[in-house]
Amino acid sequence: MKAQMIQQTTIPQNPAHPAFRRREPAPRAIRSTAFIPLRPEEEGHRQRFGEHVHLFRQGDDATRIYELIDGEVMLYKLLPDGRRQVVELIGPGDVFGISAIPIYECSAETLRAGHAVVHDRAVVERSPDLFRLLSARLQAQFCAMHEHAVLLGRKSALERVASFIMKCVPGRGGYGCPGPGGGDNTINVRLGMTRQEIADYLGLTIETVSRAFSELRRRGIVTIDRQEQVLVNNICRVCKLTGAH
Amino acid sequence: MKAQMIQQTTIPQNPAHPAFRRREPAPRAIRSTAFIPLRPEEEGHRQRFGEHVHLFRQGDDATRIYELIDGEVMLYKLLPDGRRQVVELIGPGDVFGISAIPIYECSAETLRAGHAVVHDRAVVERSPDLFRLLSARLQAQFCAMHEHAVLLGRKSALERVASFIMKCVPGRGGYGCPGPGGGDNTINVRLGMTRQEIADYLGLTIETVSRAFSELRRRGIVTIDRQEQVLVNNICRVCKLTGAH
DNA sequence: CGATTATTTGAAATCGCTCAAGTTGGGTGG
DNA sequence: CCACCCAACTTGAGCGATTTCAAATAATCG
């Protein structure tokens, strides 16, 4: 059983929609199943995980801080009526499980198998070195979240999808991008997320995401093989469509 | 002259709109005027500022990290065509000026006069204690940004405005809220932002924000005196409209 | 190869945006 | 103190991008 089943069926995004009133409240206090006892004296405990596993859920006691080594994790929040927003995509090196309150304010679900170093929250807060190490990484994540706020608040559907594709292209589109002429202009990227997950990340519906991909295909900018596999024929053209250049 | 003049006139939010093609590119590399030499040996330098002043701009060299003591600051990002998104509202205790790259990825404009402690970025990175101190605060800001992503990605206009009002009500709506019956159900809040700034924060247009306020007024939930002054007649009703409860 | 799920596509509805006026409010100068 | 001005805000009408609903098609997995 896939973990994001809650959102599997199409849920109307529009809160004025009558379907919302009929929905069950989102599961808030479900305890994570992937619980492994942590020895506080350790400088972090290694944890392996598979695909589509919850590491913790919105409402769980926020006792651990994770440092992703390998794989991919998404952090999402649910509204009581079932609307979901993926608030952060976590890649190798990123830190997650940070919370300002004693419980997690979002859920963490793995997108791809991998492993993480798990730190006891109390230990992190007592160890300046560890704290510093983890915090350094948060800075980059901070900027990524700012960028994502722009996407969610101000970009059109096509721009959002183009931005998402660019996120999958390493070293391009951001600071230090060689620009047109610099580097290869073609790449094969694996999205690693379903259309529904992408939609929940981009603040769109699954249909709109699908239409955007189709539009890019129609324009000859990308070629889509196995749904998760996108061949970008012209990186710079995608980059221009992001609205950021 | 107000600093956010760029956005003063109504700019179409829809990127398909012909007006976008006519617009000048956003000012990227304008140097901040509020420059004060910093002595690196100091453990932070106190800086006073007035209302509607830029502390730094998107594209400036990211040499300083700020810790707000008093007042209010907004961080915003501009897209090249002039669309603006306020990515964070900074209150007393919050930290800003963090950047993963050598230049600021957003602009910082004051909303209310106050003062901040300015740290040299290099100093912060060399001083574990200082770094730790500043990072601790970032955790709370991290959660706020996650919450804001939900707002931008999944909430209706009315829910966004209701959420914004609740943000102005201290101690309610979040973790540890006494709920209905606990505490006063009425409060007088000062928004401290123009409709345009609120719109850019909520990912809406100024007209939509205005209509949402009118709707709340029509329903008798709030009373609006001097535009920036909102009397919330029923905190819990506003809270329910946020979509979070 | 068939069952099941995920994705795509089409048509209609809707929310928020755009455009265009009108209104309010705060400040200024007579 | 009041008339005027200007910027900020509000309101209305129409439009358009995205959502919703519904159905068809494609991909995946035994």
Side-chain angles (χ1 to χ4, degrees), chain B residues 31-40 42 44-50 53-56 60-61 63-66 104 114-121:
Chain B
R31 282 290 180 268
S32 169
T33 47
F35 190 90
I36 292 167
L38 187 80
R39 283 154 293 175
E42 271 193 328
H45 170 95
R46 207 175 198 78
Q47 179 180 347
R48 301 215 126 266
F49 51 77
V53 173
H54 273 88
L55 298 177
F56 55 79
D60 284 356
D61 287 332
T63 55
R64 295 123 160 251
I65 291 173
Y66 296 74
Y104 290 119
H115 64 281
V117 176
V118 187
H119 301 278
D120 189 88
R121 184 181 179 173

